[in-house]
Amino acid sequence: MSPSRWSLAVLLLLVGHLAWGLVRVPSRALVRRQADIATYRRLGDAAFLFGEARLQGADAIVWLRRHGRADERVRWQGADRGAIEFAAALLWPRLLVGAADAAGDGPRLVSSPTSLSIQGR
Amino acid sequence: MSTAALERPLLAGVGAAAVAGILGTVWLLAHGTVPDWLLPVAAGTGIAIAIGHARRHRAAPPTGAPTSRGLLLLAVALVAGLAAVLAYGALATPSRHWDGAVAWDLKTAVLGRAPTLAQPFFRDPTVYCHSRDYPLLQPLLMALLQRWQLPERLVFPAAYLLLVAAIGAGARAAATSGRLAVLFALAAAVTPMWLSPTSGGFDSGYGDAVLATWLAVVALGTATANLPLVVCGLALAILQKPEGLPYAGLFLVAVWLHGEARLLRAATAAVAVAGALGLALQRDLQSFGTASPAPVIAAAAGGAVVVLVADLWLRRRGAGRRGRWLALLLGLVPAAIGVAVLSRLGDDGGVLGVHFADGGRPLQRLQQLPRIGLAMAEWAFGRGTFGLTFVVPIAVGLAAWRTGSGRRAPVLLAWLLLALPLWCVPFLTSPLADLDQHLRATLPRLLLHFTGVAWVWAASQPLPDPSLQRALGSHRPKP
C-alpha cells in the first residue's frame, strides 16, 4: 500500500472507532447508567448490590443496621469470600470480627460464598 | 490548542496527586494521622511544579494549521458532556459494583473518618478487612477530599479528563495537525470501556481506570520528554494498584533496552522511591504494623544503584542493544530469587505471595497459554468493549514500518509489547481454579490498564503521507 493509503486506513479506523463509541453512548452510557441508578435508589444499597452480584441475604444487613448500634462489633463465621465482603462494607462503621475471636451470645452473621444469614436474632 | 496548554494543567493535577500520595503514604507508614492540610499543600505544590517546568522549558510554537475554533468547541463540548455523564454516575450513588463497594469505598470511608492506620480496621487481626494489603493511594486521596467537604467521587471524571487530555497532548506534540489531535482525543474519549456503566468503567469506583490514567501520563511524558510527568505517573501507578509495580518495572526494562540515560535515571528514582513506599506499606498492613520498612527500603535503594551503575558501565563500554539484553538476562537471576522468596511466604506475602505460593503451578498451567492468548485477542479485538483501541496502534505501527516514515517513542511500543506476556502471569499463578471465570473477570481490566498507553503511542506517531497531513493542516511551516 502507498503511504497515502496507509494514512487513509488509520484515519478510517479512527473515524470507525469514534462512530462505534458514539453509537453506544445513548444506550449504554446514558440509559443503562440511569436505570442502574434508579434501581439502586429504589431498592437501597444492600438489595441492589446483592441482586447485582446474585447473592442472597441482603435482609440480614438491613436487620443488623436496624437492630444494632453503629459502634458495635458484629460477630461472623463462615466463608471469608463472597457475600461477607459486602457485609463488611455495608455495615461500616460496625466492624466484623470472627466469632471464634469474640465473646458474646448475641446475633451472629453466618456467611457462605453466595449468602448471608443471622443466627440468634 | 497547544501541547503546553494541555500539559500544564495535566502536570499540576498529576503533581498534586503524586505529592499527596507520596507524603500521605509516608505519614501512614510512620503510624501518624495524615493532616488535612496536606491536600491544599499538595495542590499548591502541583501548581508550582507545573509553573516551574513551564518556565524552564519554553514550549515550541504549535506547528501546522491551527484547529478551527468551531471544531475545538465541538470537541470540548463532547468531552465535557461525557465527563458530565461520568460525574453523574459517580455522584448519584456510592459504587454500584463489587470491588468498588466492598474494597475501595469502604477504605475511603475508614480513612475519611480517621486518616491513619492506627485503628482497629487495619490493626486488629480479628477484624474482617478485604484485600488488607492493597495500596491506599485512591482511598486516601478521596478521604482527604471528603474531609474538606468536597465531592470525593469527582476524582473519577477528573481522571477521565486527564486521560483524554494526555492523548490530545500526545497527538498535538507529534507535530501533526490540531485537527488530527482533536480526532485522536475524541476517538479515545468514546472508548466504550471508559464509559461503561458496569464494573471497570471510570465511575464504577474501581482503581483500574485511574491506573490507566497514570500509565497514560507516563506515556505522554515519554513521548514529549517531560520527565516530571514520567516520574509522577510512575509513582502514582505504583501506589494505585499492585499491578502498578510490575508495569513500572516493565517500563524500566523498555527504557533500559533503548538506553535513554535521562529517562532511565528519572524512572529508576521514581520506581525505587514509590516501590519502596508501596511495598513497605503492603508489609505494614499485612503484619498489622509490626514489620519494619527498612529491608524494603534497602532493597529498593540497592536495586536502583545496581541499575544506574550497570547503565553507566555499559555506556562507558559503548555497549549496544545486545549488551543491554545480556545484562537484562543476568538481572533476571535476582528477580527469580525474589519470586522464590515470595513463593516461600505463601499467604503471608499478601496479594503477591498468594500468586506465587505454589512454584509449580505456572508450569502445570503452561498448556493453558493458547486459551489465555485467544481470550486476550477476543477481548481486545472481538467484543467491542475497547472498540478499535488496540487496532489503531497496530495499523499505525504497520504504516510506519511499511512506509519507512519512522516511529517516535519506541520505548512505549516496547512497553506495550512487554505487557502482553505479563498479562498472562495472573492466570498462570492464581489459586483460582476456574480459568474461564478468571479470564472474564480479570482480562478486560488488565487490557483497560494499557488503553491510554496505546492511544498515546498511536497519537504520537507521524502520519506517513505528507499530502494527507497537508489536507489535515499538519504541514510544518518553513522557518
Side-chain angles (χ1 to χ4, degrees):
Chain A
M1 281 209 298
S2 65
S4 54
R5 289 200 171 174
W6 275 111
S7 294
L8 196 60
V10 170
L11 284 178
L12 286 176
L13 287 172
L14 278 176
V15 172
H17 178 91
L18 179 60
W20 173 248
L22 283 174
V23 162
R24 287 166 65 108
V25 167
S27 63
R28 304 272 302 171
L30 293 175
V31 175
R32 167 82 193 274
R33 188 172 265 106
Q34 172 60 39
D36 280 357
I37 289 166
T39 309
Y40 186 104
R41 287 175 171 165
R42 182 166 47 82
L43 298 179
D45 52 5
F48 178 86
L49 290 169
F50 273 64
E52 275 284 298
R54 294 177 190 159
L55 304 171
Q56 304 289 320
D59 54 327
I61 303 290
V62 176
W63 190 90
L64 283 166
R65 281 173 168 172
R66 193 169 292 157
H67 294 93
R69 298 188 319 276
D71 62 346
E72 77 179 341
R73 289 183 166 223
V74 178
R75 297 186 311 138
W76 73 279
Q77 68 179 51
D80 67 351
R81 283 291 178 261
I84 194 69
E85 299 174 34
F86 287 94
L90 292 166
L91 290 173
W92 168 261
R94 301 162 190 83
L95 296 173
L96 290 187
V97 291
D101 300 309
D105 54 1
R108 190 172 42 180
L109 201 53
V110 179
S111 63
S112 80
T114 56
S115 69
L116 285 178
S117 59
I118 298 175
Q119 276 185 359
R121 67 168 99 178
Chain B
M1 190 177 278
S2 68
T3 307
L6 290 166
E7 265 188 332
R8 281 175 200 158
L10 213 151
L11 181 55
V14 172
V19 170
I22 288 171
L23 292 181
T25 304
V26 170
W27 236 292
L28 293 177
L29 275 172
H31 300 175
T33 300
V34 181
D36 291 343
W37 53 256
L38 178 61
L39 195 65
V41 167
T45 311
I47 292 167
I49 290 171
I51 292 172
H53 185 264
R55 281 193 182 152
R56 279 195 309 277
H57 301 86
R58 289 260 167 245
T63 55
T67 318
S68 75
R69 187 176 283 268
L71 179 65
L72 192 59
L73 283 175
L74 183 71
V76 169
L78 179 67
V79 173
L82 294 173
V85 170
L86 293 177
Y88 167 64
L91 295 174
T93 69
S95 293
R96 298 182 291 278
H97 301 283
W98 198 300
D99 286 13
V102 308
W104 298 102
D105 279 14
L106 175 58
K107 287 179 181 171
T108 300
V110 172
L111 290 172
R113 215 180 201 208
T116 175
L117 300 183
Q119 53 179 316
F121 182 80
F122 293 111
R123 289 296 185 240
D124 184 344
T126 67
V127 171
Y128 184 88
C129 178
H130 183 276
S131 50
R132 184 182 295 280
D133 62 338
Y134 241 58
L136 291 172
L137 170 76
Q138 184 175 306
L140 181 63
L141 288 181
M142 292 174 68
L144 289 174
L145 287 165
Q146 197 179 71
R147 291 174 68 80
W148 280 89
Q149 312 293 324
L150 295 168
E152 74 277 5
R153 288 177 68 83
L154 281 183
V155 159
F156 301 119
Y160 167 79
L161 287 174
L162 286 179
L163 182 47
V164 175
I167 292 154
R172 195 69 185 97
T176 54
S177 72
R179 280 172 227 167
L180 188 59
V182 167
L183 182 57
F184 260 106
L186 276 183
V190 299
T191 296
M193 184 72 175
W194 297 0
L195 303 172
S196 168
T198 60
S199 55
F202 264 95
D203 60 335
S204 66
Y206 286 38
D208 299 278
V210 182
L211 176 59
T213 297
W214 305 142
L215 295 178
V217 166
V218 176
L220 174 65
T222 307
T224 60
N226 185 330
L227 292 185
L229 279 181
V230 175
V231 168
C232 292
L234 284 172
L236 288 165
I238 290 169
L239 297 175
Q240 173 74 24
K241 282 202 82 198
E243 296 95 320
L245 187 56
Y247 290 156
L250 285 188
F251 180 76
L252 269 189
V253 169
V255 178
W256 167 272
L257 291 176
H258 284 87
E260 295 188 19
R262 282 183 67 233
L263 188 56
L264 183 67
R265 282 197 294 270
T268 303
V271 172
V273 171
L277 287 175
L279 289 174
L281 183 68
Q282 188 186 358
R283 273 167 56 83
D284 185 276
L285 290 164
Q286 195 66 24
S287 68
F288 306 100
T290 58
S292 162
V296 171
I297 292 169
V305 169
V306 167
V307 169
L308 295 177
V309 169
D311 175 61
L312 198 63
W313 186 72
L314 287 174
R315 213 170 283 286
R316 286 199 176 153
R317 287 178 62 92
R321 183 74 61 88
R322 208 168 149 191
R324 289 188 167 271
W325 267 108
L326 197 63
L328 179 67
L329 291 176
L330 285 174
L332 287 179
V333 175
I337 294 171
V339 170
V341 169
L342 283 174
S343 69
R344 303 287 299 171
L345 290 174
D347 275 349
D348 291 341
V351 69
L352 289 175
V354 166
H355 274 268
F356 292 107
D358 181 355
R361 196 186 290 140
L363 293 175
Q364 291 160 10
R365 289 194 183 166
L366 273 181
Q367 60 190 5
Q368 308 278 21
L369 268 180
R371 253 174 89 196
I372 297 169
L374 277 176
M376 206 179 285
E378 186 192 344
W379 276 103
F381 306 118
R383 292 203 172 207
T385 312
F386 296 99
L388 300 175
T389 297
F390 295 106
V391 178
V392 170
I394 291 172
V396 167
L398 279 174
W401 175 54
R402 296 293 294 173
T403 60
S405 60
R407 278 196 295 261
R408 292 193 179 130
V411 167
L412 294 184
L413 183 59
W415 194 21
L416 271 167
L417 295 176
L418 285 168
L420 292 173
L422 183 71
W423 285 333
C424 297
V425 172
F427 307 107
L428 297 177
T429 58
S430 166
L432 295 176
D434 186 345
L435 180 64
D436 284 332
Q437 196 199 349
H438 192 196
L439 286 167
R440 259 197 317 276
T442 306
L443 202 45
R445 286 195 268 152
L446 293 178
L447 292 167
L448 167 65
H449 296 163
F450 268 70
T451 46
V453 178
W455 277 115
V456 170
W457 181 78
S460 305
Q461 306 307 308
L463 274 180
D465 176 22
S467 62
L468 201 56
Q469 289 182 36
R470 272 195 296 280
L472 283 161
S474 62
H475 62 289
R476 194 183 281 273
K478 284 180 185 168

